[in-house]
Amino acid sequence: MDIIQLLPDTVANQIAAGEVIERPASVIKELVENAIDAEARHIDVLVVDAGRTLIKVVDDGKGMSPIDARKSFEHHATSKIRKADDLFSLHTMGFRGEALATIAAVSQVELRTRQEEDVVGTRIIIAGSKVESQEVVSCPKGSSFSVNNIFFNIPARRKFLKSDAAELNNILSIFERIALVYPDIAFTFHIGEMEKYNLRTCQRMQRIVDIFGGRMQQDLVPVDVKTSVCNLSGFVGKPESAKKKAAKQFFFVNGRYMKHPYFHRAVLQAVERMIPAGEQIPYFLYLDVNPENIDVNVSPTKTDIKFENEQTIWQIINVAVKDSIGTFSDSPVIDFDVENRPDIPVFLDNRDKGVPKPNVNTSSSYNPFSNNAETISQRRNGASDWESFYEALKKEGIQNVSVQLSNVKYENTSLWNNYSEDVITEKGNTRLIEDKSSVHYQYKGTYIITAVKSGLLVIDQHRAHLRVLYERFMKQIENRTAPSQKVLFPEVLTFYGNDEATLLSILDDLTMLGFDITSLGGGSYAVNGTPADIQGVNVIKLLQDIVASIEATPKETVCSIIAERLAKHAAITYGELLDDKEMEKLVADLFICSNVNYTPSGKTILTIIEDLDERFNR
């Protein structure tokens, strides 16, 4: 019995859509690239509900005849290539002939198109690969695609789409990559009724500034190299523009965005000795290579590209970046952080006056080997804290206490969940907080040391405060009851592209934490109020850090990340001196947390030094 059969076209198209159309951003990419291949000079993009409800792309390109309009939705129907050899001399964005067929297979599509020489145009409606209607309509020259209800017939795919913020970030990333390559084409981008971008035709640097802000022009230096292997142009960031997260990094080849970790390493190696470890510089690099020397047909997304002369191009990129930074960047030998630094005037009045010799006061009667009371008193000066500390140890009656981990019990299992083996309580369900001494000692401005019955408890003060603040902020988000502190002079910060979309997606959560942020238009926002627990924190850097950490993060972890970054910036720092009351409050606050052992990122907060008698061979 024969069991092999040909799949229907609708099923085959849905299978292909799994590779070509992964999410709404893939639809944007395919439709905008088709508009570019149609020689459009102006392209409008509209998305509603992050592309779930509607994606609309309108261009003023060549348009299509009624027959071509119908054929364009067939599988492997393309006007870009005719034979296999054409794959090695591509000059268009698309060529596979899969995009429109797969889009129509998983959504409801309406196409309106007209060629310049035609009097009327064509309107086609397709849903799930089935043509519902085709009619003559009046429409402007070019093409208008409306893609409604993506994955309406594949609920499983629609279910696994990420949050609106994450999908919108992906859409904006795709749009920005295309807009960066074609500054000679005007683009608009609307999110619902809000205009996100209105990009006029311009030069390459101006397009970068229009998308990412004017600061980019100050941070970038030009790159321009012509060789027999390839031409390299674009811009690379100065060493002082390096950052740990969200550095804008783009590679393009023959007008097409690509991912290439090997070439990325060429850029990093060129500047690795000029920037701090773990940081990266922005770059916008455009390669022009003979199409015969590259293979674009590696994956349906066309972002993975193979090169015939990879090692040679790697060396060209590496040398070009080094040369550009050396030629155009005037970096100081020691690069201090001078952002927002006030100008300190130089006093010239005392220039000709001699510098006074410092006076050193010493006691000629002091003898460190003397046993008289006065010398002992001088020697003990400042040591009273140690005396009180050891007095407290004697009162606690430190003894050699051996407690087996198998016998450890906790009063509240849910509260002490994830409690590490370092924290040990005695039998009888007595909490460690009740066993500790009321006297504490701060060591090197980093650790708080206190006595407990089983030994010495050592707590990392920064990590302890981070845990306390993290849980406090998480509770405020859940209860929506965070106090806000109005600022005398509002701070103003600007976000562009994905960063602004991310900020808007978390604005409600920030408001619940006590932030008062209002839009000033053009990507600028005023911070009129901040949470009451973050006095002295640089609000601009804090919000930039939060936005950079949130990008492409699952929606369910957004609140946790916001609380963690807030706590990180607001926690007491290493080296900060604390008095006994402050240390007591910090320790008490720590021990009412749900997890006293680890920070939100999993770092150890405390440890116990046990068996002191054994250490002294008693």
Side-chain angles (χ1 to χ4, degrees):
M1 179 179 177
D2 298 333
I3 60 173
I4 297 177
Q5 59 181 339
L6 295 176
L7 290 173
D9 289 342
T10 55
V11 178
N13 287 339
Q14 287 185 9
I15 294 172
E19 294 182 345
V20 181
I21 308 301
E22 298 176 326
R23 51 172 41 99
S26 305
V27 177
I28 299 285
K29 175 181 180 295
E30 299 295 345
L31 294 182
V32 173
E33 287 182 351
N34 281 349
I36 292 171
D37 289 338
E39 300 178 3
R41 308 315 305 160
H42 193 286
I43 301 174
D44 299 317
V45 180
L46 166 68
V47 296
V48 178
D49 296 334
R52 283 181 169 85
T53 302
L54 173 65
I55 298 171
K56 189 172 184 178
V57 177
V58 182
D59 68 72
D60 60 354
K62 294 178 179 179
M64 290 180 279
S65 67
I67 295 176
D68 283 347
R70 182 67 174 266
K71 281 184 178 180
S72 65
F73 290 99
E74 298 295 331
H75 209 54
H76 300 305
T78 180
S79 62
K80 317 297 174 59
I81 62 174
R82 292 288 183 269
K83 55 185 184 298
D85 291 343
D86 293 341
L87 290 172
F88 301 99
S89 58
L90 291 171
H91 297 280
T92 57
M93 299 293 287
F95 57 87
R96 299 172 67 98
E98 295 179 319
L100 293 184
T102 52
I103 292 172
V106 296
S107 61
Q108 299 163 334
V109 182
E110 178 187 355
L111 166 64
R112 292 172 178 261
T113 183
R114 181 177 71 85
Q115 293 179 315
E116 187 172 14
E117 61 271 18
D118 295 337
V119 177
V120 293
T122 302
R123 176 174 179 260
I124 298 178
I125 297 179
I126 299 180
S129 296
K130 296 180 181 180
V131 178
E132 295 185 349
S133 68
Q134 179 172 350
E135 59 186 358
V136 175
V137 295
S138 175
C139 62
K141 179 181 80 77
S143 299
S144 172
F145 284 90
S146 297
V147 180
N148 298 275
N149 302 321
I150 187 171
F151 301 132
F152 79 101
N153 54 349
I154 312 179
R157 290 288 300 279
R158 190 175 179 90
K159 176 183 175 182
F160 285 102
L161 289 177
K162 295 184 179 179
S163 66
D164 283 357
E167 294 298 340
L168 187 57
N169 278 341
N170 284 317
I171 290 172
L172 288 171
S173 295
I174 292 291
F175 178 82
E176 289 166 0
R177 293 168 186 173
I178 297 174
L180 286 170
V181 184
Y182 295 96
D184 56 333
I185 299 177
F187 292 90
T188 64
F189 189 98
H190 288 79
I191 304 172
E193 297 181 356
M194 182 189 75
E195 182 179 83
K196 175 65 178 175
Y197 289 117
N198 191 340
L199 306 174
R200 65 191 187 278
T201 58
C202 57
Q203 298 297 317
R204 191 176 282 170
M205 172 55 83
Q206 186 59 50
R207 178 57 59 86
I208 295 173
V209 170
D210 288 344
I211 296 177
F212 298 115
R215 179 60 188 266
M216 275 294 178
Q217 191 164 6
Q218 306 171 21
D219 292 339
L220 300 176
V221 295
V223 177
D224 191 7
V225 175
K226 292 181 173 59
T227 70
S228 59
V229 177
C230 68
N231 295 334
L232 176 65
S233 60
F235 305 91
V236 65
K238 300 176 183 177
E240 55 266 32
S241 68
K243 56 174 66 174
K244 288 186 177 180
K245 297 179 181 178
K248 307 301 180 184
Q249 298 174 329
F250 297 89
F251 266 120
F252 305 97
V253 57
N254 295 356
R256 188 189 308 275
Y257 171 79
M258 70 169 179
K259 298 177 182 177
H260 209 295
Y262 185 54
F263 292 165
H264 172 72
R265 180 59 190 160
V267 177
L268 295 187
Q269 193 178 96
V271 297
E272 63 181 356
R273 295 187 179 182
M274 293 181 268
I275 62 176
E279 296 191 359
Q280 298 184 357
I281 60 170
Y283 59 77
F284 303 81
L285 296 176
Y286 301 77
L287 282 164
D288 290 321
V289 184
N290 188 334
E292 296 180 359
N293 296 332
I294 62 174
D295 184 3
V296 180
N297 191 28
V298 177
S299 67
T301 59
K302 309 183 204 63
T303 57
D304 300 316
I305 300 176
K306 291 185 177 180
F307 289 77
E308 183 178 343
N309 303 309
E310 275 194 348
Q311 292 185 351
T312 303
I313 296 175
W314 190 97
Q315 293 173 348
I316 292 172
I317 294 172
N318 184 264
V319 172
V321 170
K322 286 181 180 178
D323 184 64
S324 293
I325 292 177
T327 303
F328 297 101
S329 179
D330 298 325
S331 300
V333 177
I334 301 178
D335 187 13
F336 296 102
D337 182 8
V338 296
E339 186 176 357
N340 299 323
R341 184 191 67 180
D343 292 330
I344 302 175
V346 179
F347 293 97
L348 302 176
D349 299 352
N350 299 326
R351 209 171 190 181
D352 298 329
K353 299 179 182 179
V355 178
K357 183 178 179 181
N359 295 322
V360 180
N361 298 321
T362 60
S363 175
S364 58
S365 61
Y366 174 71
N367 182 358
F369 302 101
S370 174
N371 290 326
N372 63 64
E374 180 182 359
T375 304
I376 293 175
S377 175
Q378 293 175 0
R379 193 183 307 166
R380 287 183 176 178
N381 187 26
S384 57
D385 289 343
W386 276 102
E387 291 178 354
S388 60
F389 179 71
Y390 281 115
E391 286 296 323
L393 293 181
K394 292 176 182 178
K395 291 179 182 178
E396 293 293 333
I398 297 293
Q399 296 179 357
N400 184 15
V401 180
S402 177
V403 183
Q404 298 298 323
L405 291 178
S406 60
N407 297 328
V408 175
K409 296 181 181 178
Y410 302 112
E411 182 175 346
N412 187 334
T413 305
S414 63
L415 180 65
W416 299 97
N417 192 23
N418 297 328
Y419 213 49
S420 80
E421 295 179 357
D422 289 332
V423 180
I424 302 176
T425 60
E426 295 183 350
K427 294 181 180 180
N429 301 326
T430 304
R431 290 189 181 181
L432 191 62
I433 186 65
E434 297 173 354
D435 296 338
K436 71 175 182 61
S437 168
S438 60
V439 180
H440 312 287
Y441 171 70
Q442 187 181 29
Y443 178 66
K444 290 187 176 180
T446 301
Y447 303 105
I448 296 172
I449 303 176
T450 190
V452 292
K453 286 187 177 180
S454 56
L456 289 179
L457 176 65
V458 184
I459 301 173
D460 185 303
Q461 66 181 39
H462 171 74
R463 295 179 182 177
H465 198 212
L466 194 154
R467 165 54 70 177
V468 170
L469 291 178
Y470 169 78
E471 297 203 3
R472 185 180 303 168
F473 290 135
M474 285 296 291
K475 196 170 296 182
Q476 289 174 356
I477 293 176
E478 294 170 3
N479 299 335
R480 300 171 177 262
T481 56
S484 179
Q485 178 71 45
K486 294 294 183 181
V487 297
L488 185 60
F489 300 103
E491 299 271 8
V492 177
L493 67 164
T494 304
F495 290 103
Y496 297 94
N498 290 355
D499 293 343
E500 185 180 8
T502 301
L503 176 68
L504 292 174
S505 70
I506 62 173
L507 204 52
D508 289 342
D509 295 320
L510 293 176
T511 302
M512 296 307 164
L513 279 167
F515 283 99
D516 181 4
I517 302 175
T518 57
S519 175
L520 302 176
S524 296
Y525 294 84
V527 183
N528 304 306
T530 61
D533 291 328
I534 64 167
Q535 291 90 346
V537 172
N538 187 320
V539 178
I540 301 297
K541 289 185 177 180
L542 168 61
L543 289 173
Q544 288 173 341
D545 186 23
I546 290 175
V547 169
S549 302
I550 291 296
E551 287 186 356
T553 298
K555 188 174 182 179
E556 57 271 16
T557 63
V558 165
C559 291
S560 176
I561 291 176
I562 293 175
E564 193 271 336
R565 301 320 297 170
L566 272 170
K568 184 77 173 178
H569 283 258
I572 58 177
T573 58
Y574 292 117
E576 187 172 340
L577 299 180
L578 306 176
D579 59 31
D580 203 61
K581 290 182 179 179
E582 291 171 331
M583 288 187 282
E584 171 64 22
K585 184 178 187 309
L586 178 57
V587 174
D589 289 344
L590 173 65
F591 277 91
I592 62 174
C593 290
S594 61
N595 186 336
V596 301
N597 244 27
Y598 299 104
T599 65
S601 60
K603 294 182 178 179
T604 301
I605 296 175
L606 52 81
T607 187
I608 291 181
I609 303 175
E610 298 181 289
D611 302 328
L612 293 177
D613 290 339
E614 290 185 8
R615 291 172 183 263
F616 287 96
N617 298 322
R618 291 183 181 177

